[in-house]
Amino acid sequence: MTIELTTADAVGELGSLLRGRVIDRSDPEYDEARSVFNGMIDKFPLAVARCADVADVVAAVNWAREHDVIVAVRGGGHSGPGLGTVDDGLVIDLSAMRGIRVDPVRRTVRVEAGCTAGDVDHATHAYGLAVPFGIVASTGVAGLALGGGTGYLTRQYGLTIDNLLEADVVLADGRIVTADESTNADLFWALRGGGGNFGVVVSFLFQAHPVDQVFAGPVFFDLADARTVARAYRDFLPDSPVELATFFGLKTVPAGEPFPAEHRGKHACALITCFSGTAEAGAAALAPLMDLLPEPLFDWRGEMPFPAWNQAFDPLFPKGLQCYWRGDFVRDLPDEAIEAHIEQAGRIPPGAVSLMHLYPIDGAVHRVGRNDTAWNTRDTTWNMVILGAHPDPDAAAGLEHWVRDYWDAVHPFSDRGGYVNFMMTDESPDRLRVTYGDNLERLARVKAVYDPDNFFRVNQNIAPTSTAA
Ligand SMILES: Cc1cc2nc3c(=O)[nH]c(=O)nc-3n(C[C@H](O)[C@H](O)[C@H](O)COP(=O)(O)OP(=O)(O)OC[C@H]3O[C@@H](n4cnc5c(N)ncnc54)[C@H](O)[C@@H]3O)c2cc1C
């Protein structure tokens, strides 16, 4: 009883310190506030601090440290393992901090940490600019950027972190620091791929690029044609122009509009394409591949504004989906690997939005050295994700089995490590060591400088050197 009263008093005190709202367990909005994108995650934090500004973030960090309360930091809440929430801790929720300022002269954009990729696309498109993010607009910029960020503009302009110029960070001791190439350069290095380990990033300054209309869309083929499509795609990719993003996918045709009724639910393979430029130039760039391929089930490529394409998949991934995923980096795709993929893809559970995608991370990504940012696996070819996703909670166990079996079958063909943003928290303890490679030691040293007590530990955690085993 005493403890409960003390906790309630402390949470009440936090509420008085913030301009934003503190939503505790007695609040009618608590269930909505504690929920994250992945419907499999069902955690009960002590409270959610919906910060209104940087001062609120400082107050929340100080309050949690002084009361010895574990903290989860939430940007867009899209983390697969639900790292934007925590049982019996404080969620520092940045979703109300959505300011964006584009500088069209320098072609930069300052982005507050609660923005989604779609928010930034919307703002930059007015100036004919874009920043490389992912393929779903509702994803949070913060978590995506701190893990690396791969998407349609990666081949041409690099990972999201390759376009990060500066970040403002609230550290575990409550100080606010700026990190860039010359100020707190070690922190700036670590933020670019090291995830949420080092503090709460409250704003990002990104380089933007001239991207306006794109020629983009999905082309779906019957799974029976997947061998031909995968082999042709593999051989086509290395010499294709970097303005052309094409990723390969194995999936089912989604059930529902606008997908053709006669194909819904069919096992299929897909090429998802996006060319920065006109329809004519895009079609010409892709023609050497398309000419080799069988008749598709449907081909929905067309010219459109970049933000329209970047949000095209959002309706397929609503908040609350049951999700389980695993990934790997992939350097080569031998015929045996393609066979293993096709076999697993034929077992996608019915009614699911499950998929395997191979996102190219060549081109501009390869021009940055493996020790220049925390992202270590620079010399690979694809970032693979196997995602099990289904609206029905009863399907969760089946999804997890499908993903694990699939990953076990194709992992022997993979490169070193995987993308931290495509990891759950139940993988081998060795996983981060392999992924960060010879950058891990430096990351642990930077962690020891900026967060020596591992205050920020609800993440793909890097232990500070002093406590590292
Ligand atoms: C439908 C879907 C599509 C996706 N597509 C892509 C894609 O195309 N490309 C890609 O690269 N990734 C993609 N992802 C993965 C995505 O990058 C991660 O899920 C990422 O964690 C999402 O960031 P968030 O801010 O929404 O997550 P959150 O759940 O809010 O946070 C995730 C992690 O980041 C940390 N964090 C968040 N904000 C901050 C902050 N301001 N300061 C410090 N730490 C912070 C959290 O502590 C947590 O550890 C996708 C995910 C989903 C669900």
Side-chain angles (χ1 to χ4, degrees):
M1 187 62 178
T2 315
I3 292 171
E4 275 180 22
L5 276 176
T6 307
T7 305
D9 287 349
V11 172
E13 176 205 25
L14 176 64
S16 71
L17 296 171
L18 263 58
R19 292 217 162 181
R21 253 166 62 65
V22 174
I23 301 160
D24 66 11
R25 288 172 175 167
S26 66
D27 195 300
E29 276 185 39
Y30 177 74
D31 273 333
E32 188 280 324
R34 73 182 180 87
S35 67
V36 289
F37 173 83
N38 187 354
M40 276 189 199
I41 309 294
D42 188 24
K43 297 204 169 159
F44 292 85
L46 205 54
V48 175
R50 195 159 281 162
C51 297
D53 57 20
V54 178
D56 276 5
V57 176
V58 172
V61 165
N62 287 339
W63 178 89
R65 195 188 57 252
E66 283 156 17
H67 291 85
D68 201 17
V69 168
I70 190 167
V71 153
V73 182
R74 185 188 302 167
H78 268 219
S79 155
L83 295 170
T85 186
V86 61
D87 276 329
D88 301 321
L90 179 69
V91 174
I92 297 185
D93 177 358
L94 304 162
S95 62
M97 293 172 59
R98 301 279 263 263
I100 299 176
R101 180 149 195 275
V102 180
D103 179 337
V105 178
R106 292 192 176 83
R107 290 186 176 159
T108 59
V109 53
R110 192 168 287 281
V111 175
E112 277 194 308
C115 289
T116 63
D119 294 336
V120 184
D121 285 344
H122 174 75
T124 53
H125 186 68
Y127 298 89
L129 299 171
V131 176
F133 295 124
I135 65 151
V136 172
S138 57
T139 310
V141 164
L144 178 138
L146 294 170
T150 75
Y152 293 119
L153 303 177
T154 302
R155 300 188 77 212
Q156 193 173 10
Y157 297 118
L159 302 169
T160 305
I161 48 171
D162 299 336
N163 295 280
L164 181 63
L165 301 173
E166 187 184 291
D168 289 340
V169 190
V170 175
L171 301 178
D173 61 9
R175 279 183 301 141
I176 308 166
V177 297
T178 294
D180 61 23
E181 284 289 2
S182 55
T183 314
N184 297 308
D186 51 350
L187 175 61
F188 186 57
W189 175 86
L191 290 176
R192 287 175 291 163
N197 272 284
F198 306 95
V200 185
V201 177
V202 286
S203 79
F204 300 84
L205 181 70
F206 291 111
Q207 186 68 60
H209 302 277
V211 177
D212 192 357
Q213 293 291 112
V214 293
F215 177 66
V219 190
F220 271 64
F221 301 86
D222 196 287
L223 188 64
D225 293 321
R227 184 170 299 113
T228 310
V229 177
R231 288 180 182 186
Y233 164 73
R234 169 194 67 194
D235 299 339
F236 166 79
L237 183 74
D239 297 322
S240 62
V242 291
E243 296 81 5
L244 178 63
T246 312
F247 64 85
F248 176 78
L250 292 165
K251 50 185 70 194
T252 52
V253 179
E257 292 295 341
F259 295 93
E262 67 274 25
H263 297 314
R264 289 180 200 162
K266 252 186 202 167
H267 288 100
C269 83
L271 293 175
I272 318 285
T273 72
C274 177
F275 178 84
S276 307
T278 63
E280 199 185 7
L286 210 58
L289 174 59
M290 298 305 288
D291 289 350
L292 300 174
L293 301 182
E295 189 64 26
L297 297 176
F298 50 92
D299 177 349
W300 282 349
R301 288 173 298 153
E303 191 174 319
M304 64 196 90
F306 181 67
W309 175 234
N310 218 16
Q311 61 186 282
F313 291 136
D314 285 29
L316 295 176
F317 298 101
K319 185 175 175 183
L321 269 187
Q322 306 289 307
C323 289
Y324 185 86
W325 62 38
R326 288 204 166 193
D328 261 331
F329 291 125
V330 176
R331 186 192 298 252
D332 302 307
L333 200 57
D335 291 348
E336 309 89 275
I338 292 174
E339 295 308 316
H341 276 285
I342 292 172
E343 193 184 333
Q344 297 303 320
R347 297 183 188 153
I348 292 180
V353 206
S354 303
L355 53 83
M356 186 288 300
H357 281 168
L358 283 169
Y359 305 108
I361 49 170
D362 53 355
V365 183
H366 290 192
R367 292 201 291 272
V368 179
R370 64 190 300 143
N371 304 122
D372 293 348
T373 66
W375 175 298
N376 192 259
T377 315
R378 288 274 177 182
D379 51 353
T380 194
T381 313
W382 289 282
N383 176 18
M384 176 188 73
V385 67
I386 304 162
L387 166 68
H390 200 292
D392 181 359
D394 290 340
L399 288 179
E400 206 171 315
H401 278 130
W402 175 75
V403 172
R404 285 169 186 272
D405 287 352
Y406 195 136
W407 190 83
D408 287 346
V410 299
H411 181 65
F413 302 102
S414 67
D415 199 354
R416 199 172 43 79
Y419 178 31
V420 287
N421 278 350
F422 290 159
M423 284 179 196
M424 300 302 276
T425 41
D426 58 355
E427 298 190 32
S428 114
D430 224 24
R431 193 74 170 136
L432 285 186
R433 191 185 59 71
V434 174
T435 294
Y436 286 119
D438 61 357
N439 284 339
L440 184 61
E441 214 179 292
R442 183 172 172 194
L443 280 164
R445 284 202 307 273
V446 178
K447 175 86 171 170
V449 171
Y450 291 94
D451 184 17
D453 299 326
N454 208 3
F455 177 77
F456 297 108
R457 58 188 180 279
V458 182
N459 43 46
Q460 297 294 353
N461 196 237
I462 296 164
T465 298
S466 49
T467 59

